[in-house]
Amino acid sequence: MLLKYFYDEKLAHASYLVGCQRAKTAVIVDPGRDIEQYLEIADREGMKITAVAETHIHADYVSGARELADRVGAKLYVSDEGPAEWKYLYLDDYDHALMHDGDHFMIGNIRFDVLHTPGHTPESISFMLTDQGGGADKPMGIFTGDFVFVGSIGRPDLLEEAAGLMDTAEPGARDLFKSAERFKSLPDYLQVWPAHGAGSACGKGLGAIPSSTVGYEKLFNPALQFTDEEKFVKYILADQPEAPKYFAVMKRVNKVGPAILGEGHHHEMLDLSRLNEALTSGTVIDLTPSPQFAKGHIAGTLNIPIGMLATQAGWLVDYDKPTYLICEPRELEEAARVLHKIGVEEIVGGFDASEVRSSGKANEDYASGTPAELSSAIQSGEVKLIDVRSNDEWNEGHIEQAEHRFLGRLPNHLEDLPHDEKIVVHCRSGARSAIAASVLQAAGFKNVVNLTGGYTAWKAEGLPSTKA
């Protein structure tokens, strides 16, 4: 048997290739949209990808299941558990098998047994692997998807928080408790292969270790220490990270079937003459580093440096409009690949950042100021201070004069901000608040200042703060 681990750091997403070396066939478990990585490894190992096994309808990235089915004819093994509204809708065009608790399927001499493990989502299943080709008659490990992570467990509130399905969080938590009890009955020696690591919003406190064992998680995973259902429900629904609003888009996209990108999919650099059209009809994202963007940029553009695209674009991009990029030509394909992974489909192309800067059109800027320079105006109320950090960060400590407006929801809550006052924005370090400054300017706010170094610099200066 061959087991290969793939990890997308931008999305904190783990996927797997499991191959039977005798049969020269392989299955991809919870594939991401960038399927070339799987095809390359399979070709290198002399294997054919014949199947995809998916643990649930994912909410945080676009699945590569349909792309693999379309490109190489992979058979889809997917859940048929849960209510009618969470069934896959694109399967009729592809070879597929609907999985229920107790079912199994074979990839060569490797057996996959299906466990229904609801809670994170109603249709969630896990796959227990037994390497019968190696002579084993007991399972080696379990692919848990978003059910059990290293050091954590999948959150049950996403359908309510992100997809707007009200009154589903608590029932999901109770289902999750029952699934956790079932997990704890599995053999301690089983390896645990989850679909996410540290940084994912699919749970709280995820570990940065790729895999674990059932026994270790039973001993040290905080979510698996509960024997009382009510205490578990209270614990699992508290202090979860903000659910990115694009998660609702992902649920729909992966349910109805993502668009097929196809082999050789690419994007083009555009003539600068199309920039006005882009600003009028779509979302224009400038990937320029924020300090450079602050000194001069095109009015109406959003500044999201390429390293922050995966975490921030899903909050700020309008999924109903075409997307354009201002970037260096070498950045275009990587940026587009990241955006496609989070369901941004209509990426028209890119404008050369160097041409934009030399065109004379990049004539909007914003100021920055250190805590020492701005503290007097902040504490006296001469400026309006906006804290764009997360709820957890705010609760741990904040500047007393600040108003909390989380960056991801900032574009939807601008109507009561004053256009005639100076607005200072800050985060922990100054990176997210730089994005917030571009959001405010694109919405027509002219007098915007970014607090250099953010809350960390404020505290380092010994300036006062408070707690919620």
Side-chain angles (χ1 to χ4, degrees):
M1 187 189 84
L2 176 71
L3 176 63
K4 289 286 188 179
Y5 171 77
F6 302 83
Y7 194 71
D8 186 334
E9 292 185 358
K10 293 181 174 66
L11 297 174
H13 165 226
S15 54
Y16 305 83
L17 179 149
V18 183
C20 175
Q21 292 166 308
R22 288 184 183 175
K24 301 295 183 183
T25 58
V27 58
I28 309 299
V29 181
D30 286 331
R33 198 172 197 181
D34 183 10
I35 68 167
E36 298 299 335
Q37 57 186 332
Y38 312 124
L39 298 176
E40 289 173 8
I41 290 294
D43 183 64
R44 187 186 310 164
E45 298 291 340
M47 292 186 171
K48 177 178 175 58
I49 296 173
T50 59
V52 168
E54 194 154 66
T55 55
H56 65 295
I57 301 174
H58 292 276
D60 55 316
Y61 66 90
V62 177
S63 165
R66 187 181 188 186
E67 193 84 20
L68 282 165
D70 192 81
R71 181 88 70 88
V72 300
K75 183 173 182 176
L76 303 176
Y77 292 91
V78 298
S79 175
D80 194 37
E81 297 281 5
E85 60 266 28
W86 289 112
K87 304 292 186 185
Y88 291 83
L89 299 181
Y90 66 90
L91 300 177
D92 288 347
D93 294 332
Y94 305 101
D95 187 10
H96 67 277
L98 298 176
M99 297 284 99
H100 301 89
D101 188 74
D103 288 345
H104 80 276
F105 62 93
M106 302 291 295
I107 300 298
N109 295 306
I110 305 169
R111 177 177 172 125
F112 291 80
D113 285 277
V114 177
L115 284 71
H116 183 210
T117 49
H120 175 66
T121 61
E123 80 284 2
S124 173
I125 56 177
S126 298
F127 299 104
M128 201 146 56
L129 178 153
T130 303
D131 182 14
Q132 294 183 345
D137 61 358
K138 293 189 182 339
M140 171 188 293
I142 182 171
F143 294 100
T144 53
D146 291 14
F147 165 38
V148 173
F149 303 121
V150 177
S152 187
I153 196 167
R155 62 192 293 181
D157 64 324
L158 277 182
L159 295 182
E160 187 165 315
E161 291 296 317
L165 296 180
M166 302 311 296
D167 302 319
T168 57
E170 184 175 328
R174 296 188 185 282
D175 285 342
L176 192 59
F177 177 77
K178 296 178 179 67
S179 295
E181 290 298 296
R182 184 180 189 185
F183 176 85
K184 287 189 281 187
S185 72
L186 297 175
D188 285 355
Y189 64 80
L190 277 186
Q191 295 182 57
V192 175
W193 301 305
H196 290 292
S200 170
C202 289
K204 57 181 178 180
L206 276 68
I209 300 170
S211 64
S212 184
T213 64
V214 169
Y216 189 87
E217 294 307 307
K218 283 161 63 174
L219 286 173
F220 299 111
N221 188 321
L224 298 178
Q225 306 311 307
F226 293 88
T227 56
D228 181 274
E229 182 173 331
E230 298 305 321
K231 290 180 179 178
F232 173 86
V233 170
K234 183 178 180 180
Y235 162 81
I236 203 65
L237 293 179
D239 303 321
Q240 292 285 1
E242 286 87 353
K245 67 179 183 181
Y246 83 90
F247 277 21
V249 177
M250 293 300 89
K251 270 290 184 185
R252 176 180 53 78
V253 166
N254 288 326
K255 174 182 172 181
V256 304
I260 300 298
L261 296 179
E263 189 174 5
H265 180 78
H266 68 283
H267 305 82
E268 297 178 351
M269 298 303 291
L270 305 172
D271 190 272
L272 210 56
S273 63
R274 298 183 60 182
L275 185 53
N276 286 338
E277 168 201 341
L279 291 165
T280 302
S281 65
T283 302
V284 181
I285 304 174
D286 191 332
L287 305 183
T288 302
S290 293
Q292 190 173 358
F293 180 89
K295 295 176 181 177
H297 54 267
I298 302 290
T301 59
L302 296 179
N303 179 216
I304 310 179
I306 192 167
M308 301 178 75
L309 265 184
T311 56
Q312 301 301 329
W315 288 103
L316 303 174
V317 169
D318 188 335
Y319 277 72
D320 295 324
K321 293 182 178 180
T323 297
Y324 300 80
L325 301 171
I326 294 176
C327 60
E328 300 298 333
R330 59 182 170 75
E331 296 176 320
L332 177 60
E333 292 306 330
E334 174 59 22
R337 191 158 40 243
V338 171
L339 292 172
H340 279 319
K341 288 177 182 180
I342 59 171
V344 180
E345 299 290 8
E346 191 178 356
I347 303 171
V348 181
F351 299 102
D352 191 316
S354 299
E355 290 183 12
V356 170
R357 285 193 294 270
S358 62
S359 69
K361 297 179 180 180
N363 51 21
E364 183 174 66
D365 59 18
Y366 64 81
S368 298
T370 65
E373 292 167 338
L374 294 170
S375 60
S376 177
I378 288 172
Q379 291 175 288
S380 66
E382 294 175 32
V383 299
K384 190 169 190 66
L385 180 64
I386 303 296
D387 183 336
V388 300
R389 297 177 301 157
S390 69
N391 288 332
D392 286 347
E393 290 172 300
W394 169 267
N395 291 334
E396 288 173 3
H398 56 269
I399 301 170
E400 185 175 358
Q401 292 78 17
E403 182 177 315
H404 185 219
R405 300 205 179 202
F406 171 61
L407 172 59
R409 306 193 192 281
L410 183 61
N412 300 324
H413 299 91
L414 298 174
E415 63 281 349
D416 57 341
L417 285 179
H419 282 264
D420 57 349
E421 290 183 35
K422 180 182 288 188
I423 298 177
V424 177
V425 287
H426 87 86
C427 61
R428 182 181 63 84
S429 66
R432 284 169 291 169
S433 54
I435 297 174
S438 76
V439 170
L440 290 169
Q441 283 196 319
F445 293 87
K446 301 299 183 185
N447 199 354
V448 181
V449 180
N450 187 23
L451 182 65
T452 304
Y455 186 69
T456 300
W458 181 273
K459 292 287 290 181
E461 291 282 347
L463 293 166
S465 63
T466 187
K467 286 191 175 183

